[in-house]
Amino acid sequence: MNTTNYDIVILGGGCAGMQLMHQLIHHAKYKGESILILDADKTYLQSKSWCFWHSSNVHPYQSIFNTTWNSISIGFPEGNQEKIIEPYRYSFIKSETFFDFHFDEIKQHPNIDYTNDVVTHVEKNGSQFVIHTNSGIVSTTALYSSFWNQQSVASETNLFLKQQFFGWEIYTEQPVFKATAATLMDFSIEQAEGVTFAYVLPYSENHALIEITGFCAEAYSIDFFEDALKKYIQKNWNCPYTILKTEHASIPMTNFVFKRFTREGAIAIGTAAGMVKPTTGYAFNRIYRDSVLLANHFFNKEVPAEFTHTRFKFYDRLLLQLLKYHPNKALFILMQLFRKVSYQHVLRFLDEDSTLFQEALLFAKLPKKDFIKQLF
Ligand SMILES: Cc1cc2nc3c(=O)[nH]c(=O)nc-3n(C[C@H](O)[C@H](O)[C@H](O)COP(=O)(O)OP(=O)(O)OC[C@H]3O[C@@H](n4cnc5c(N)ncnc54)[C@H](O)[C@@H]3O)c2cc1C
């Protein structure tokens, strides 16, 4: 069987694979190096909604934002608190928009190939990676991989929860939604086994994505989600609606130490590289920053360093422990965080952009006893 050689091979053409490709081909030192992106299924047909907060200056993907909000709302049993988040904004990119944008780039670059082949195994021969697929063999010296195995990660740590969510994109005849703010967390819903909240992205007065999210080790049933969603819609908007789409997924929440390199020595990217913040499930901006870094390493012929562990990993572990073993306390802490600390400070902290001093001020507003207990 013939082997086709590429300068760069990216396993997985999802969020991380596409962002890396984008950074590579827009790098000042890019000279038309050949790139192959291999993805087993046409994930780009799946509907995901990527949201993230960012400073109001230009965001690298601003040209494809579908919606942007200047305010966010948090729901408490006593009512909602909507606040402007300047200098941040909360923005949304539909997965269809994201993939259309990147597939257009692939079309414009004859040196980039994209295939839906299935990777069977990867070997390393000296500096060459040999990738066996169901339709042939390819080789490269620069291999990036977004493949990971959830089962083996879950079996290697005792702290593995899932951020599970189920939502409907709905259309209402009457203009019922207040499209000025996205609801990040509405804790006023009935709590299930883990911390549970509703998430609302109002695209217009008639059109919104409404999701029920739960942080739990066990899987919630579809019946549970549908029931909670119907009740939430009825309580808040009580009007007829049409379901346009369903989104149902699970994101890992774990203290597992993801490594920079895979077992075969490929450079891990995306979820496989621990880019999903374990306590929030957000990854889009972290993947962006990592892709910029990896493109620089590639063109400067540098080997990326193994990840170092910051204090944020420690904070994440404390919160994960509370979420797993004391969900009621975790719920109280999350609500206190948004009640007592400005939304901007919370967002900066979740972005791992805060200083130690700012963190001390933030922790001072929370029930310290629960955190201290988790230390032991
Ligand atoms: C439904 C959903 C909504 C999310 N929303 C947000 C959000 O709003 N904001 C945010 O910041 N983060 C969000 N995330 C988290 C994170 O941004 C995404 O999971 C992101 O897609 C991770 O990027 P990735 O490239 O690692 O994985 P993916 O985008 O899932 O891409 C991995 C790709 O690899 C392919 N693949 C995997 N294994 C194989 C194999 N063995 N052979 C061939 N191909 C393979 C898959 O087909 C897939 O296309 C969300 C996650 C989910 C699941």
Side-chain angles (χ1 to χ4, degrees):
M1 210 182 263
N2 283 345
T3 301
T4 317
N5 187 262
Y6 286 88
D7 294 313
I8 300 161
V9 174
I10 301 174
L11 304 183
C15 183
M18 290 298 184
Q19 290 209 45
L20 177 61
M21 183 266 302
H22 179 79
Q23 289 307 322
L24 288 165
I25 64 176
H26 290 282
H27 197 279
K29 293 185 180 170
Y30 180 67
K31 293 202 177 63
E33 284 82 351
S34 57
I35 304 177
L36 171 68
I37 302 171
L38 273 166
D39 199 299
D41 48 6
K42 296 188 170 157
T43 308
Y44 57 91
L45 293 176
Q46 282 175 17
S47 175
K48 258 184 204 172
S49 46
W50 277 299
C51 278
F52 40 84
W53 55 91
H54 56 95
S55 74
S56 30
N57 300 329
V58 183
H59 185 276
Y61 280 98
Q62 192 151 338
S63 65
I64 58 164
F65 284 174
N66 295 93
T67 315
T68 292
W69 296 271
N70 294 330
S71 303
I72 58 171
S73 172
I74 304 291
F76 304 99
E78 68 273 17
N80 278 26
Q81 269 185 26
E82 180 180 318
K83 290 184 187 164
I84 293 175
I85 52 169
E86 286 274 323
Y88 293 105
R89 285 177 193 189
Y90 194 66
S91 294
F92 157 65
I93 305 178
K94 262 190 201 171
S95 58
E96 290 94 326
T97 314
F98 176 86
F99 286 111
D100 284 350
F101 174 81
H102 291 95
F103 278 110
D104 271 353
E105 291 195 313
I106 293 176
K107 267 193 222 144
Q108 286 160 22
H109 287 80
N111 289 353
I112 309 178
D113 288 336
Y114 173 93
T115 73
N116 284 126
D117 293 340
V118 176
V119 175
T120 52
H121 65 284
V122 176
E123 298 165 334
K124 194 154 187 213
N125 282 344
S127 62
Q128 287 281 318
F129 290 96
V130 182
I131 302 124
H132 298 256
T133 74
N134 57 339
S135 70
I137 300 174
V138 288
S139 67
T140 185
T141 49
L143 182 65
Y144 298 87
S145 175
S146 47
F147 297 177
W148 67 289
N149 184 321
Q150 177 155 330
Q151 266 172 350
S152 75
V153 167
S155 68
E156 282 179 44
T157 168
N158 60 353
L159 212 45
F160 190 94
L161 290 120
K162 294 174 204 146
Q163 179 180 137
Q164 302 166 55
F165 45 94
F166 181 96
W168 288 332
E169 189 180 323
I170 64 168
Y171 182 82
T172 59
E173 297 270 308
Q174 290 110 313
V176 292
F177 300 113
K178 202 170 160 231
T180 51
T183 302
L184 238 55
M185 296 176 139
D186 185 347
F187 297 110
S188 69
I189 66 170
E190 205 178 301
Q191 292 297 307
E193 210 173 305
V195 169
T196 320
F197 58 89
Y199 175 72
V200 185
L201 298 181
Y203 305 136
S204 74
E205 291 177 336
N206 300 71
H207 183 195
L209 172 74
I210 304 166
E211 292 186 340
I212 301 295
T213 302
F215 296 156
C216 192
E218 307 307 322
Y220 295 115
S221 69
I222 300 284
D223 283 351
F224 157 76
F225 277 126
E226 286 191 344
D227 187 48
L229 203 47
K230 280 182 197 157
K231 282 187 186 150
Y232 187 71
I233 296 173
Q234 194 185 17
K235 185 180 123 201
N236 287 284
W237 300 286
N238 193 22
C239 68
Y241 55 90
T242 310
I243 300 170
L244 305 175
K245 264 184 206 161
T246 298
E247 183 173 284
H248 182 205
S250 158
I251 304 179
M253 305 176 78
T254 174
N255 70 336
F256 179 79
V257 182
F258 287 92
K259 297 264 193 308
R260 181 77 277 182
F261 297 92
T262 67
R263 219 170 354 140
E264 297 85 10
I267 297 172
I269 57 171
T271 311
M275 289 300 137
V276 178
K277 169 105 173 144
T279 44
T280 63
Y282 286 89
F284 192 93
N285 281 336
R286 289 155 72 98
I287 289 174
Y288 162 72
R289 289 191 286 267
D290 195 48
S291 305
V292 172
L293 193 86
L294 292 178
N296 278 330
H297 282 312
F298 176 82
F299 289 108
N300 296 331
K301 300 190 178 4
E302 292 162 358
V303 179
E306 195 45 84
F307 297 123
T308 48
H309 298 299
T310 65
R311 60 188 186 280
F312 293 98
K313 191 100 188 135
F314 171 70
Y315 304 149
D316 280 338
R317 182 167 64 81
L318 291 185
L319 187 56
L320 283 178
Q321 279 173 331
L322 282 167
L323 285 167
K324 180 165 181 183
Y325 299 111
H326 307 284
N328 289 341
K329 285 180 182 162
L331 173 69
F332 183 68
I333 285 169
L334 286 171
M335 289 198 290
Q336 287 300 85
L337 190 65
F338 284 102
R339 274 192 191 115
K340 300 211 163 176
V341 182
S342 83
Y343 290 178
Q344 288 90 337
H345 281 131
V346 178
L347 297 181
R348 188 176 305 128
F349 171 66
L350 296 177
D351 254 350
E352 306 188 352
D353 240 358
S354 49
T355 62
L356 207 51
F357 178 67
Q358 288 165 335
E359 288 146 34
L361 292 179
L362 184 145
F363 288 132
K365 307 251 168 88
L366 300 178
K368 287 164 255 338
K369 210 174 67 187
D370 293 327
F371 275 112
I372 291 165
K373 261 195 205 160
Q374 290 312 311
L375 289 176
F376 303 98

